[in-house]
Amino acid sequence: EISACLVGSEMCIRDSTRTNPPNNDKLTELGTLMRSAILSAGGVAYTSQKSYDLYPTTGSADDWYYDNAAKIKLVYTFEVRDTGKNGFILPTSEIIPTGKENLAAFIVFAEYVKKQLDN
């Protein structure tokens, strides 16, 4: 019950609802842990927040994964390095550092899920 996708702008974005989902504490905790792992791995300070707090949105892939057929309860969209300067075209020099940051976040994500499953 996990999902993540990568796009651009240094964020770990979770659900897009106005109200908090029942597992909001877990989503917030995991987002903070992944943000810390990214910062430690590459020195870039990602933001962890609800997508609705960034811009009004509904019906996104995150919502579908969380609420519908898939029933995935830990859903994030990662917007990777670049805050708009290069659009969604990451400069070559940013590819490896971005990969290292996101690998660190994914490891935290996987360990968190394993811990949840073990309990």
Side-chain angles (χ1 to χ4, degrees):
E1 295 187 341
I2 59 174
S3 173
C5 64
L6 305 174
V7 290
S9 100
E10 300 174 0
M11 297 195 173
C12 303
I13 301 174
R14 55 190 184 274
D15 68 280
S16 65
T17 59
R18 231 182 261 204
T19 58
N20 289 334
N23 67 335
N24 188 63
D25 291 346
K26 287 183 180 183
L27 289 165
T28 302
E29 176 186 34
L30 180 53
T32 301
L33 292 170
M34 289 187 299
R35 180 193 184 283
S36 295
I38 290 169
L39 185 60
S40 294
V44 174
Y46 280 52
T47 300
S48 176
Q49 70 182 72
K50 293 175 61 145
S51 61
Y52 192 85
D53 293 340
L54 179 62
Y55 42 77
T57 179
T58 61
S60 65
D62 291 355
D63 292 334
W64 184 84
Y65 284 123
Y66 190 91
D67 288 325
N68 294 313
K71 299 293 184 202
I72 296 169
K73 299 302 180 191
L74 294 173
V75 180
Y76 290 85
T77 297
F78 283 78
E79 294 193 354
V80 297
R81 283 186 178 200
D82 188 55
T83 56
K85 179 181 172 192
N86 298 298
F88 289 102
I89 302 172
L90 210 58
T92 304
S93 62
E94 299 289 318
I95 293 171
I96 290 175
T98 299
K100 288 179 180 178
E101 292 164 357
N102 284 279
L103 176 59
F106 182 77
I107 290 169
V108 166
F109 187 86
E111 289 172 348
Y112 189 90
V113 169
K114 183 181 181 317
K115 180 180 165 188
Q116 298 301 307
L117 294 173
D118 289 345
N119 290 332

